[in-house]
Amino acid sequence: MRIEFTSPQFPASGALVVFAAKGADLAASAAEVDRLTSGALGRAIKASRYDGSRGDVVEILAPSGLDASRVILVGLGTPGELTPVEFEKIGGQITARLLTSGEARVTVLLD
């Protein structure tokens, strides 16, 4: 597996992962995804049981307005309670989900 750290940007292909905390607004990159997809992320949240709890996931396939093949919104839980171990668990959850998806590339925007 090859991991790269670059300046934040929306991908030209592959999956895009963004975040939101419980009880908080979408992170800046997630809010931008919602804007670019004409509110698709917000509609998906309302149509699901997503509330931003740690590990909650909403996925949109082939989102209109982005070149990404899918957008995955991951809940971070309560702000201020995340530890490095919790971030590692969230990373494992994202990896496990994408390993069976056929994706060859993923961009994670953590702001």
Side-chain angles (χ1 to χ4, degrees):
M1 177 184 296
R2 192 175 101 196
I3 298 173
E4 296 178 31
F5 294 90
T6 64
S7 59
Q9 58 190 349
F10 291 107
S13 64
L16 173 63
V17 180
V18 292
F19 300 90
K22 185 171 184 165
D25 292 331
L26 296 173
S29 57
E32 182 65 7
V33 166
D34 192 44
R35 186 188 72 74
L36 291 171
T37 60
S38 300
L41 196 53
R43 288 190 303 276
I45 290 168
K46 288 178 183 174
S48 69
R49 293 185 176 170
Y50 181 92
D51 71 356
S53 293
R54 191 171 314 129
D56 275 359
V57 173
V58 168
E59 186 170 359
I60 300 172
L61 298 175
S64 178
L66 288 175
D67 293 326
S69 57
R70 69 185 70 219
V71 172
I72 301 173
L73 175 66
V74 179
L76 295 175
T78 305
E81 291 184 5
L82 281 169
T83 65
V85 171
E86 294 302 327
F87 274 111
E88 187 175 340
K89 288 178 184 176
I90 290 168
Q93 177 188 10
I94 293 166
T95 301
R97 185 175 192 99
L98 290 173
L99 279 175
T100 59
S101 72
E103 293 290 351
R105 184 177 187 94
V106 61
T107 300
V108 179
L109 295 178
L110 182 61
D111 31 11

